[in-house]
Amino acid sequence: MLAMRSFVIGQPIAHSLSPVLHNAAYAELGLDHEFSKLEVAPSDLSDFVKSLDEDVLGLAVTMPHKQQIMGLLDAIEPLAEAVGAVNTVVPSSKVLSGFNTDVYGIVQAIREAGGAPEGGRAVILGARATASSALAALGHLHIRDVDVVARNFAGPGYIALAETRLGVTTNHIPWRDEARAIAAMNSADVIVSTLPSGRADQWAKLYQPKPGAVVLDAAYDPWPSELAKAARAGGARVASGYSMLLHQACQQVELMTGRSAPVDAMRSALLKATGLSSL
């Protein structure tokens, strides 16, 4: 395969660890490709997409572009369409196709942490793009009883539209209803926090995990988060955002290269980059 270029695009982008994962995969697979970060402002996204050359293998797409880029693509997989967010773009024969690998990343991160009982209860903290992916992931895990805690639920890019497309119903708990939110969290088998770093701290102070619960906090800087600390202290099993990041990148590698992702090599590279002993 000829040498190709790939990028992760977003704003800001300096913090992204995607190059660590993708370049480790390319090296392990013996591919002379290069993956790098590229800061793209929302106002420049359309021109950037139109300028993609034939040597571009693919794009990893992060905030704030996951919804906006959908209108610039030629084809979108049904899952990404339903969730309302694309985090992966693969050009092929001048056709730009969009995919969502966050759903896979969330599923695999929860499974690695010990899994979740079918028919269990879940809480999603937040209601934007990653929350919509979490809702689809919980469906894959056969969890249908879901509470969503957020300030807003409806509007462009919010979870209410994803619920309609996915054909599911959740219980909406307003952010201000602290008692109801904590009661839901304390009885949940799975909690997925999709909030920015620090936003879940107020819930961590009151959270008393259900025995055997799994908590995934997508925010991994700093790690462990206050929510992760509270979960571990209470005996819950914890999945980090790093684990989600690893697995969604594995599926991106497979979509872009057509090769099976070298998970162990990618995990080792991420551990080295973060200084962690485990994800």
Side-chain angles (χ1 to χ4, degrees):
M1 183 180 287
L2 297 174
M4 303 283 280
R5 298 181 299 149
S6 302
F7 304 96
V8 56
I9 61 170
Q11 190 181 51
I13 202 65
H15 66 285
S16 177
L17 291 168
S18 291
V20 170
L21 291 161
H22 285 257
N23 285 323
Y26 297 160
E28 184 70 15
L29 294 172
L31 300 173
D32 187 22
H33 299 337
E34 180 183 2
F35 191 102
S36 56
K37 307 173 189 178
L38 193 61
E39 182 148 334
V40 178
S43 58
D44 296 329
L45 182 62
S46 179
D47 287 341
F48 170 76
V49 171
K50 291 175 183 176
S51 72
L52 293 177
D53 294 325
E54 293 185 0
D55 68 341
V56 174
L57 185 68
L59 302 175
V61 183
T62 188
M63 298 304 292
H65 302 318
K66 291 185 179 183
Q67 286 93 26
Q68 182 183 353
I69 201 166
M70 295 177 73
L72 305 174
L73 304 178
D74 302 303
I76 300 174
E77 65 160 350
L79 177 61
E81 191 76 62
V83 168
V86 161
N87 77 325
T88 309
V89 175
V90 180
S92 178
S93 301
K94 297 184 178 180
V95 173
L96 297 178
S97 298
F99 303 88
N100 183 301
T101 70
D102 284 335
V103 174
Y104 176 80
I106 293 168
V107 168
Q108 293 302 111
I110 291 173
R111 284 176 173 165
E112 274 199 344
E118 289 191 15
R121 297 188 64 256
V123 171
I124 299 172
L125 300 178
R128 297 302 300 269
T130 305
S132 296
S133 295
L135 182 61
L138 292 170
H140 282 283
L141 294 167
H142 306 290
I143 295 178
R144 309 295 182 188
D145 188 354
V146 181
D147 295 312
V148 180
V149 180
R151 289 186 172 87
N152 298 295
F153 303 93
Y158 280 89
I159 199 168
L161 185 56
E163 290 175 20
T164 300
R165 289 171 172 165
L166 292 167
V168 299
T169 301
T170 71
N171 305 304
H172 292 174
I173 301 177
W175 187 268
R176 63 181 179 276
D177 194 345
E178 186 175 88
R180 188 178 168 201
I182 287 298
M185 291 175 64
N186 289 349
S187 62
D189 298 292
V190 179
I191 293 176
V192 181
S193 175
T194 66
L195 299 170
S197 180
R199 295 281 179 86
D201 289 0
Q202 74 178 80
W203 307 117
K205 297 174 183 177
L206 301 171
Y207 177 43
Q208 297 179 338
K210 179 180 180 179
V214 172
V215 176
L216 167 59
D217 193 343
Y220 52 76
D221 186 16
W223 187 260
S225 64
E226 292 303 314
L227 181 61
K229 291 177 185 177
R232 284 176 176 165
R237 297 167 290 171
V238 175
S240 74
Y242 287 119
S243 180
M244 173 185 166
L245 180 70
L246 166 66
H247 290 292
Q248 64 83 29
C250 287
Q251 193 173 51
Q252 286 180 329
V253 167
E254 293 176 358
L255 287 167
M256 293 181 191
T257 68
R259 306 272 293 276
S260 296
V263 182
D264 291 341
M266 294 170 70
R267 187 190 305 274
S268 295
L270 186 57
L271 290 173
K272 182 177 179 180
T274 59
L276 297 172
S277 58
S278 66
L279 302 181

